Structure formats: C-alpha cells, structure tokens
Amino acid sequence: MQIIPAIDLLGGACVRLHQGDYDQVTRFSDDPVSQASSWQDQGARRLHLVDLDGARSGQPINDAAVRAITESLSIPVQLGGGVRSADRAEALLECGLERVILGTVALEQPELVVELANRHPGRIIVGIDARHGKVATRGWLENSDTEATALAARFSESAIAAIISTDISTDGTLAGPNLKALRQMAAASSVPVIASGGVGCMADLLALLALEPLGVEGVIVGRALYDGRIDLREALMGLGDGRLQDPSAGLLNDMA
C-alpha cells in the first residue's frame, strides 16, 4: 500500500486545516521545498500537494511553490485544488506534475474529466470529498446532494488513474479513517481508491490493509506525520513492499 505524504499549501506555506475550516489553520513550515525534500529523503515514493488557495478561489496563487517542488524532487508529485478547466489541468501537467486531481469539476463537468483522462491516461485523478456521504466542492465550502458513491461509479469505466476519497468529518482530526465509507467507495468503482482523512497512528494505517484487496491502494497522510505520531520510514516498512503482512515477501512462509 502506498503511503503518500501531503503538503497543503496556503499562501506559499505548509499548513493543515481542521475539517477543511480555513479559520482553523496550523502552520508547519514556510519552506515547502525543504519539507518536500525531507519526505523524499525519508523514503516517500510519491508526494501529494493541495493548493488550498486554488481550492477556495480558483486562482493559481501557489504555482511558484509547486514548480519549485517538482523541480527539486525525483519522485512523482500530484496536485489538487482549484483545477477546474482543461487549460489549468494541462498547464499543471506541463510544469512537472505527474498527476492532477479534479474535484469540483468532476461533479459539475464529469464529461470534461473523461475527456482529459482519455487525452492523458493515467495522469488524471478524481478527488471526491464527502461530508456525511454527500459530495462537497469548492474547497469544501459548498455542499451538494450527490452521493459520493454515485459520483465514484460515474467514472468507473473511465481512464482516470484513481479516486482520492476524503472524509471531511475526519480530515485533520487524527481520529482514524472512515473505514465504512472507504469500503463503500471501493465497492462503487473498479478504479483504485486512495484514502484520505483521519489517519492518526500506525494502527490506523494497518487497519487500512484489510481494504487493500477491495481496491484501496494507498493512503494520504498529513498531520500525523508533522506531529510525529507516525514515522514515515516505519510506516513504509509496515505497509510497503516486503512488509511482514505481505505473503509475497516470503517472510510468512519462512516463519511457517
């Protein structure tokens, strides 16, 4: 299972919001490039960026920081937040991002997402952010009546790379992921699911392993890494390739 460190950008700084509330901001670093390099040095194989300014306003305020990060890293980087047009998505792909994440536009213009995925197979991700099972958009500031699972099913046969499933009620709380919602999302679509929201300790990560056979292929971790509740190297050893729980590693057979 992939463990993907998150960097949330607000005004060029690394921050975290509590349950998506822009009035509850914790600032972790004023140097996102240094932070990104640190996660890579600790073994991360992918980095997740969120442009919080873009998500709220739709304006590319953090592009300079994004470009600096992609230029400094050798691992793939993905970004979401305010990507609401084909031009914007393609501009981000051209600046070094491996994948871009479409959230609001996936609800409002699903045909555009399908078109972009066909044009850039494996490089488009759909971000589905849910509050009480219903899709929230525009930086979580607006709520819809659309069920998150219904939106996931809409893209089941498309060429998107994955669906990032974020449970807003647990995001930034360290209270544990919403396993029931993740199970429902994985069942709704044949597209791989990446979990996001609520991870607070190693036990939370290990709990996600039970969902891996259902299609949950990765997890995005933010606050717990910054707070030191999870050590990235330890997490990668516990959940990554060759982990003790993985029969393919041969360790279980050796112990039998």
Side-chain angles (χ1 to χ4, degrees), residues 65-135:
V66 172
R67 185 171 285 104
I69 289 171
T70 59
E71 290 176 351
S72 68
L73 300 189
S74 59
I75 60 174
V77 181
Q78 62 192 38
L79 176 140
V83 187
R84 296 172 189 160
S85 70
D87 288 346
R88 176 67 176 146
E90 292 183 333
L92 287 168
L93 290 173
E94 289 173 1
C95 82
L97 291 166
E98 186 213 29
R99 296 173 172 177
V100 296
I101 302 153
L102 304 179
T104 296
V105 74
L107 178 66
E108 297 179 352
Q109 302 178 66
E111 67 286 347
L112 177 59
V113 175
V114 172
E115 178 187 337
L116 279 168
N118 289 335
R119 198 182 308 165
H120 304 284
R123 302 188 71 188
I124 301 298
I125 293 176
V126 168
I128 300 180
D129 305 331
R131 182 182 282 114
H132 307 303
K134 300 293 182 65
V135 178

Side-chain angles (χ1 to χ4, degrees), residues 27-46:
R27 195 181 190 102
F28 290 106
S29 172
D30 291 322
D31 188 348
V33 174
S34 175
Q35 185 61 69
S37 297
S38 174
W39 295 139
Q40 176 175 270
D41 292 344
Q42 292 178 54
R45 296 186 179 181
R46 180 181 300 278

Side-chain angles (χ1 to χ4, degrees), residues 131-186:
R131 182 182 282 114
H132 307 303
K134 300 293 182 65
V135 178
T137 61
R138 302 190 179 276
W140 302 351
L141 299 176
E142 297 183 11
N143 299 316
S144 76
D145 293 324
T146 301
E147 295 284 347
T149 51
L151 186 59
R154 170 70 176 79
F155 297 103
S156 186
E157 303 303 323
S158 71
I160 65 171
I163 289 173
I164 294 177
S165 177
T166 302
D167 180 66
I168 296 171
S169 65
T170 61
D171 189 74
T173 66
L174 304 171
N178 188 333
L179 299 178
K180 179 181 178 180
L182 285 167
R183 185 181 294 271
Q184 292 171 341
M185 289 293 286

